[in-house]
Amino acid sequence: MNNISPTLAIHGGAWAIAHTTVDDHKKALDAALKTGWEILNSGGSAIDCVEKTINSMEDSGVFDAGKGCVLNEKGEVEMDALVMKGDLSAGAVAALQDFPNPISVARRVMEKTPHVMLVGEGAFEFAKKQGFKSMHIRELVSDREFHSWKNNHEMHFGTVGAVALDAKGNLAQGTSTGGTRGKMTGRVGDSPIIGAGGYCDDETGGASATGQGEAFMKIMGCKTACDFLKTKNSAQKAAEKTISLLEKRTNGKGGIILLSKTGDIGIAFNTARMARGYARDGKIVVEV
């Protein structure tokens, strides 16, 4: 492939993001994009870019991922994450507890096991054996979240995701989340499910979703978005058609980022706000 422009697109949730948190979202998105762009701009791989970009968002405490995770009905953390490369390699974890960077554990599942997904206790034991450091819940979860969970406050932040195209024409995507506040123990949403919360194929494109996970699962949102690219839709049109389908068939709410195999960007959502941004040709754009 010639004349490839490395490109990175990210999201930090499509939700009723509170006005008071917009600046925090923008700063965290900007920091994540700069982290990922440095990797792409220096000739790094799409998968390295995606992992480190999402690590930045997981560590920020701003989003519903990593150190910003919400609590389930029992006041516990259960994280879901998926990484996928354009050659269809993939790794995922679901209902993972006590580790601040589930996207990195998911990548290790992809690279170090014959499996695609590990869940619950099995994912926890694997992460420990791989040398990842666990954290006590009071270190991992913010005081803000304990207070919000106890008082059943509305969520104003969401899942994180990234899709990257590197200089060699390789695509990769990643999605990481703590799920929905107060969810039933063991609930798994769309984020770690191939085709639903994330998908990547070098022959079409890569996508990551955020919003109501059960709705995206029903229409296999990210695979659907990539399939729309096969019929010569622009990435933007494909993203818009996916969100339209989500609303029409499930009455669902959410957003999606989509990157075609040529680096065409599509971003669409039907919520009040969506935290999103992209980096290409040294230009970084952030919107909330």
Side-chain angles (χ1 to χ4, degrees), residues 39-40 44-53 83-85 107 110-111 164 166 170-174:
I39 294 169
L40 284 184
S45 68
I47 187 64
D48 284 346
C49 170
V50 163
E51 180 187 8
K52 297 306 179 184
T53 298
V83 292
M84 188 170 185
K85 296 166 63 177
R107 181 177 180 180
M110 177 179 70
E111 295 177 343
D166 64 30
N170 299 314
L171 284 162
Q173 82 82 36

PDB file of all heavy atoms in Angstrom, residues 39-40 44-53 83-85 107 110-111 164 166 170-174:
ATOM      1  N   ILE A  39       3.490   7.226  18.829  1.00  0.00           N
ATOM      2  CA  ILE A  39       3.820   5.864  18.389  1.00  0.00           C
ATOM      3  C   ILE A  39       3.649   5.720  16.883  1.00  0.00           C
ATOM      4  O   ILE A  39       4.531   5.231  16.175  1.00  0.00           O
ATOM      5  CB  ILE A  39       2.959   4.831  19.137  1.00  0.00           C
ATOM      6  CG1 ILE A  39       3.320   4.824  20.628  1.00  0.00           C
ATOM      7  CG2 ILE A  39       3.119   3.434  18.540  1.00  0.00           C
ATOM      8  CD1 ILE A  39       2.371   4.035  21.486  1.00  0.00           C
ATOM      9  N   LEU A  40       2.492   6.161  16.363  1.00  0.00           N
ATOM     10  CA  LEU A  40       2.238   6.046  14.924  1.00  0.00           C
ATOM     11  C   LEU A  40       3.222   6.873  14.110  1.00  0.00           C
ATOM     12  O   LEU A  40       3.728   6.428  13.076  1.00  0.00           O
ATOM     13  CB  LEU A  40       0.811   6.512  14.604  1.00  0.00           C
ATOM     14  CG  LEU A  40      -0.350   5.586  14.934  1.00  0.00           C
ATOM     15  CD1 LEU A  40      -1.641   6.205  14.440  1.00  0.00           C
ATOM     16  CD2 LEU A  40      -0.162   4.199  14.342  1.00  0.00           C
ATOM     17  N   GLY A  44       5.541   3.202  14.593  1.00  0.00           N
ATOM     18  CA  GLY A  44       5.073   2.119  15.444  1.00  0.00           C
ATOM     19  C   GLY A  44       3.839   1.433  14.890  1.00  0.00           C
ATOM     20  O   GLY A  44       3.187   1.916  13.949  1.00  0.00           O
ATOM     21  N   SER A  45       3.495   0.296  15.491  1.00  0.00           N
ATOM     22  CA  SER A  45       2.383  -0.514  15.006  1.00  0.00           C
ATOM     23  C   SER A  45       1.039  -0.001  15.513  1.00  0.00           C
ATOM     24  O   SER A  45       0.943   0.638  16.564  1.00  0.00           O
ATOM     25  CB  SER A  45       2.562  -1.966  15.446  1.00  0.00           C
ATOM     26  OG  SER A  45       2.428  -2.082  16.853  1.00  0.00           O
ATOM     27  N   ALA A  46       0.017  -0.341  14.761  1.00  0.00           N
ATOM     28  CA  ALA A  46      -1.339   0.048  15.143  1.00  0.00           C
ATOM     29  C   ALA A  46      -1.721  -0.559  16.492  1.00  0.00           C
ATOM     30  O   ALA A  46      -2.356   0.100  17.323  1.00  0.00           O
ATOM     31  CB  ALA A  46      -2.328  -0.373  14.066  1.00  0.00           C
ATOM     32  N   ILE A  47      -1.332  -1.806  16.736  1.00  0.00           N
ATOM     33  CA  ILE A  47      -1.726  -2.454  17.986  1.00  0.00           C
ATOM     34  C   ILE A  47      -1.020  -1.816  19.178  1.00  0.00           C
ATOM     35  O   ILE A  47      -1.626  -1.634  20.238  1.00  0.00           O
ATOM     36  CB  ILE A  47      -1.482  -3.985  17.942  1.00  0.00           C
ATOM     37  CG1 ILE A  47      -2.065  -4.662  19.176  1.00  0.00           C
ATOM     38  CG2 ILE A  47      -0.018  -4.305  17.762  1.00  0.00           C
ATOM     39  CD1 ILE A  47      -3.563  -4.565  19.317  1.00  0.00           C
ATOM     40  N   ASP A  48       0.252  -1.442  19.033  1.00  0.00           N
ATOM     41  CA  ASP A  48       0.951  -0.741  20.117  1.00  0.00           C
ATOM     42  C   ASP A  48       0.281   0.607  20.386  1.00  0.00           C
ATOM     43  O   ASP A  48       0.098   1.008  21.541  1.00  0.00           O
ATOM     44  CB  ASP A  48       2.417  -0.509  19.766  1.00  0.00           C
ATOM     45  CG  ASP A  48       3.265  -1.761  19.881  1.00  0.00           C
ATOM     46  OD1 ASP A  48       2.801  -2.754  20.477  1.00  0.00           O
ATOM     47  OD2 ASP A  48       4.403  -1.752  19.363  1.00  0.00           O
ATOM     48  N   CYS A  49      -0.071   1.292  19.314  1.00  0.00           N
ATOM     49  CA  CYS A  49      -0.736   2.588  19.440  1.00  0.00           C
ATOM     50  C   CYS A  49      -2.048   2.457  20.196  1.00  0.00           C
ATOM     51  O   CYS A  49      -2.331   3.222  21.127  1.00  0.00           O
ATOM     52  CB  CYS A  49      -0.972   3.172  18.053  1.00  0.00           C
ATOM     53  SG  CYS A  49      -2.041   4.621  18.033  1.00  0.00           S
ATOM     54  N   VAL A  50      -2.862   1.483  19.802  1.00  0.00           N
ATOM     55  CA  VAL A  50      -4.168   1.294  20.426  1.00  0.00           C
ATOM     56  C   VAL A  50      -4.024   0.962  21.915  1.00  0.00           C
ATOM     57  O   VAL A  50      -4.716   1.536  22.766  1.00  0.00           O
ATOM     58  CB  VAL A  50      -4.956   0.182  19.694  1.00  0.00           C
ATOM     59  CG1 VAL A  50      -6.106  -0.336  20.543  1.00  0.00           C
ATOM     60  CG2 VAL A  50      -5.481   0.705  18.367  1.00  0.00           C
ATOM     61  N   GLU A  51      -3.124   0.042  22.240  1.00  0.00           N
ATOM     62  CA  GLU A  51      -2.957  -0.335  23.641  1.00  0.00           C
ATOM     63  C   GLU A  51      -2.544   0.862  24.496  1.00  0.00           C
ATOM     64  O   GLU A  51      -3.138   1.120  25.550  1.00  0.00           O
ATOM     65  CB  GLU A  51      -1.923  -1.445  23.787  1.00  0.00           C
ATOM     66  CG  GLU A  51      -1.722  -1.853  25.251  1.00  0.00           C
ATOM     67  CD  GLU A  51      -0.594  -2.842  25.468  1.00  0.00           C
ATOM     68  OE1 GLU A  51       0.162  -3.130  24.512  1.00  0.00           O
ATOM     69  OE2 GLU A  51      -0.465  -3.332  26.601  1.00  0.00           O
ATOM     70  N   LYS A  52      -1.520   1.596  24.069  1.00  0.00           N
ATOM     71  CA  LYS A  52      -1.002   2.701  24.883  1.00  0.00           C
ATOM     72  C   LYS A  52      -1.974   3.874  24.942  1.00  0.00           C
ATOM     73  O   LYS A  52      -2.066   4.565  25.961  1.00  0.00           O
ATOM     74  CB  LYS A  52       0.356   3.149  24.356  1.00  0.00           C
ATOM     75  CG  LYS A  52       1.441   2.082  24.443  1.00  0.00           C
ATOM     76  CD  LYS A  52       1.567   1.530  25.864  1.00  0.00           C
ATOM     77  CE  LYS A  52       2.634   0.450  25.951  1.00  0.00           C
ATOM     78  NZ  LYS A  52       2.706  -0.157  27.316  1.00  0.00           N
ATOM     79  N   THR A  53      -2.694   4.092  23.856  1.00  0.00           N
ATOM     80  CA  THR A  53      -3.719   5.139  23.861  1.00  0.00           C
ATOM     81  C   THR A  53      -4.800   4.828  24.889  1.00  0.00           C
ATOM     82  O   THR A  53      -5.205   5.700  25.676  1.00  0.00           O
ATOM     83  CB  THR A  53      -4.353   5.271  22.463  1.00  0.00           C
ATOM     84  OG1 THR A  53      -3.353   5.662  21.520  1.00  0.00           O
ATOM     85  CG2 THR A  53      -5.463   6.305  22.468  1.00  0.00           C
ATOM     86  N   VAL A  83      -9.177  -6.374  22.318  1.00  0.00           N
ATOM     87  CA  VAL A  83      -8.289  -5.867  21.273  1.00  0.00           C
ATOM     88  C   VAL A  83      -8.446  -6.771  20.058  1.00  0.00           C
ATOM     89  O   VAL A  83      -8.680  -7.974  20.187  1.00  0.00           O
ATOM     90  CB  VAL A  83      -6.805  -5.826  21.700  1.00  0.00           C
ATOM     91  CG1 VAL A  83      -6.580  -4.798  22.779  1.00  0.00           C
ATOM     92  CG2 VAL A  83      -6.315  -7.189  22.140  1.00  0.00           C
ATOM     93  N   MET A  84      -8.323  -6.162  18.879  1.00  0.00           N
ATOM     94  CA  MET A  84      -8.429  -6.944  17.651  1.00  0.00           C
ATOM     95  C   MET A  84      -7.577  -6.302  16.578  1.00  0.00           C
ATOM     96  O   MET A  84      -7.548  -5.070  16.444  1.00  0.00           O
ATOM     97  CB  MET A  84      -9.881  -7.028  17.192  1.00  0.00           C
ATOM     98  CG  MET A  84     -10.114  -7.988  16.035  1.00  0.00           C
ATOM     99  SD  MET A  84     -11.888  -8.258  15.732  1.00  0.00           S
ATOM    100  CE  MET A  84     -11.811  -9.512  14.437  1.00  0.00           C
ATOM    101  N   LYS A  85      -6.853  -7.119  15.839  1.00  0.00           N
ATOM    102  CA  LYS A  85      -6.024  -6.658  14.737  1.00  0.00           C
ATOM    103  C   LYS A  85      -6.711  -6.956  13.407  1.00  0.00           C
ATOM    104  O   LYS A  85      -7.609  -7.794  13.327  1.00  0.00           O
ATOM    105  CB  LYS A  85      -4.655  -7.343  14.796  1.00  0.00           C
ATOM    106  CG  LYS A  85      -3.853  -6.996  16.028  1.00  0.00           C
ATOM    107  CD  LYS A  85      -2.672  -7.933  16.231  1.00  0.00           C
ATOM    108  CE  LYS A  85      -1.665  -7.863  15.106  1.00  0.00           C
ATOM    109  NZ  LYS A  85      -0.495  -8.733  15.353  1.00  0.00           N
ATOM    110  N   ARG A 107      -4.783  -7.936  25.420  1.00  0.00           N
ATOM    111  CA  ARG A 107      -3.744  -8.137  24.405  1.00  0.00           C
ATOM    112  C   ARG A 107      -2.899  -9.369  24.721  1.00  0.00           C
ATOM    113  O   ARG A 107      -2.534 -10.127  23.824  1.00  0.00           O
ATOM    114  CB  ARG A 107      -2.846  -6.906  24.281  1.00  0.00           C
ATOM    115  CG  ARG A 107      -1.774  -7.083  23.215  1.00  0.00           C
ATOM    116  CD  ARG A 107      -0.915  -5.861  23.013  1.00  0.00           C
ATOM    117  NE  ARG A 107       0.085  -6.112  21.979  1.00  0.00           N
ATOM    118  CZ  ARG A 107       0.991  -5.227  21.562  1.00  0.00           C
ATOM    119  NH1 ARG A 107       1.000  -4.007  22.084  1.00  0.00           N
ATOM    120  NH2 ARG A 107       1.869  -5.562  20.629  1.00  0.00           N
ATOM    121  N   MET A 110      -4.562 -12.441  23.616  1.00  0.00           N
ATOM    122  CA  MET A 110      -4.397 -12.610  22.169  1.00  0.00           C
ATOM    123  C   MET A 110      -3.037 -13.203  21.826  1.00  0.00           C
ATOM    124  O   MET A 110      -2.930 -14.087  20.960  1.00  0.00           O
ATOM    125  CB  MET A 110      -4.555 -11.251  21.475  1.00  0.00           C
ATOM    126  CG  MET A 110      -4.326 -11.275  19.973  1.00  0.00           C
ATOM    127  SD  MET A 110      -4.563  -9.649  19.183  1.00  0.00           S
ATOM    128  CE  MET A 110      -3.127  -8.752  19.810  1.00  0.00           C
ATOM    129  N   GLU A 111      -2.009 -12.745  22.498  1.00  0.00           N
ATOM    130  CA  GLU A 111      -0.651 -13.103  22.112  1.00  0.00           C
ATOM    131  C   GLU A 111      -0.091 -14.334  22.827  1.00  0.00           C
ATOM    132  O   GLU A 111       0.837 -14.975  22.313  1.00  0.00           O
ATOM    133  CB  GLU A 111       0.282 -11.912  22.358  1.00  0.00           C
ATOM    134  CG  GLU A 111      -0.049 -10.710  21.477  1.00  0.00           C
ATOM    135  CD  GLU A 111       0.819  -9.496  21.753  1.00  0.00           C
ATOM    136  OE1 GLU A 111       1.463  -9.443  22.833  1.00  0.00           O
ATOM    137  OE2 GLU A 111       0.856  -8.604  20.904  1.00  0.00           O
ATOM    138  N   ALA A 164      -6.739   2.396  15.065  1.00  0.00           N
ATOM    139  CA  ALA A 164      -5.550   2.976  14.457  1.00  0.00           C
ATOM    140  C   ALA A 164      -5.192   2.287  13.149  1.00  0.00           C
ATOM    141  O   ALA A 164      -5.395   1.086  12.982  1.00  0.00           O
ATOM    142  CB  ALA A 164      -4.368   2.893  15.421  1.00  0.00           C
ATOM    143  N   ASP A 166      -1.699   2.070  10.846  1.00  0.00           N
ATOM    144  CA  ASP A 166      -0.277   2.426  10.877  1.00  0.00           C
ATOM    145  C   ASP A 166       0.297   2.602   9.474  1.00  0.00           C
ATOM    146  O   ASP A 166      -0.393   2.418   8.459  1.00  0.00           O
ATOM    147  CB  ASP A 166       0.527   1.421  11.703  1.00  0.00           C
ATOM    148  CG  ASP A 166       0.546   0.002  11.134  1.00  0.00           C
ATOM    149  OD1 ASP A 166       0.468  -0.155   9.904  1.00  0.00           O
ATOM    150  OD2 ASP A 166       0.644  -0.950  11.948  1.00  0.00           O
ATOM    151  N   ASN A 170      -1.685  -1.534   8.427  1.00  0.00           N
ATOM    152  CA  ASN A 170      -2.312  -2.452   9.371  1.00  0.00           C
ATOM    153  C   ASN A 170      -3.279  -1.704  10.279  1.00  0.00           C
ATOM    154  O   ASN A 170      -2.966  -0.618  10.774  1.00  0.00           O
ATOM    155  CB  ASN A 170      -1.263  -3.158  10.218  1.00  0.00           C
ATOM    156  CG  ASN A 170      -0.314  -3.995   9.381  1.00  0.00           C
ATOM    157  OD1 ASN A 170      -0.747  -4.730   8.504  1.00  0.00           O
ATOM    158  ND2 ASN A 170       0.977  -3.871   9.651  1.00  0.00           N
ATOM    159  N   LEU A 171      -4.417  -2.319  10.515  1.00  0.00           N
ATOM    160  CA  LEU A 171      -5.426  -1.762  11.409  1.00  0.00           C
ATOM    161  C   LEU A 171      -5.437  -2.502  12.741  1.00  0.00           C
ATOM    162  O   LEU A 171      -5.106  -3.683  12.822  1.00  0.00           O
ATOM    163  CB  LEU A 171      -6.818  -1.887  10.790  1.00  0.00           C
ATOM    164  CG  LEU A 171      -7.197  -0.918   9.669  1.00  0.00           C
ATOM    165  CD1 LEU A 171      -8.388  -1.460   8.885  1.00  0.00           C
ATOM    166  CD2 LEU A 171      -7.526   0.468  10.233  1.00  0.00           C
ATOM    167  N   ALA A 172      -5.857  -1.800  13.797  1.00  0.00           N
ATOM    168  CA  ALA A 172      -6.098  -2.422  15.100  1.00  0.00           C
ATOM    169  C   ALA A 172      -7.139  -1.595  15.840  1.00  0.00           C
ATOM    170  O   ALA A 172      -7.278  -0.389  15.603  1.00  0.00           O
ATOM    171  CB  ALA A 172      -4.817  -2.514  15.926  1.00  0.00           C
ATOM    172  N   GLN A 173      -7.874  -2.262  16.709  1.00  0.00           N
ATOM    173  CA  GLN A 173      -8.854  -1.550  17.533  1.00  0.00           C
ATOM    174  C   GLN A 173      -8.810  -2.088  18.945  1.00  0.00           C
ATOM    175  O   GLN A 173      -8.430  -3.240  19.192  1.00  0.00           O
ATOM    176  CB  GLN A 173     -10.262  -1.673  16.958  1.00  0.00           C
ATOM    177  CG  GLN A 173     -11.015  -2.947  17.288  1.00  0.00           C
ATOM    178  CD  GLN A 173     -11.686  -2.943  18.666  1.00  0.00           C
ATOM    179  OE1 GLN A 173     -12.174  -1.921  19.131  1.00  0.00           O
ATOM    180  NE2 GLN A 173     -11.684  -4.104  19.323  1.00  0.00           N
ATOM    181  N   GLY A 174      -9.250  -1.259  19.888  1.00  0.00           N
ATOM    182  CA  GLY A 174      -9.377  -1.685  21.279  1.00  0.00           C
ATOM    183  C   GLY A 174     -10.552  -0.984  21.938  1.00  0.00           C
ATOM    184  O   GLY A 174     -10.882   0.152  21.585  1.00  0.00           O
TER     185      GLY A 174
END
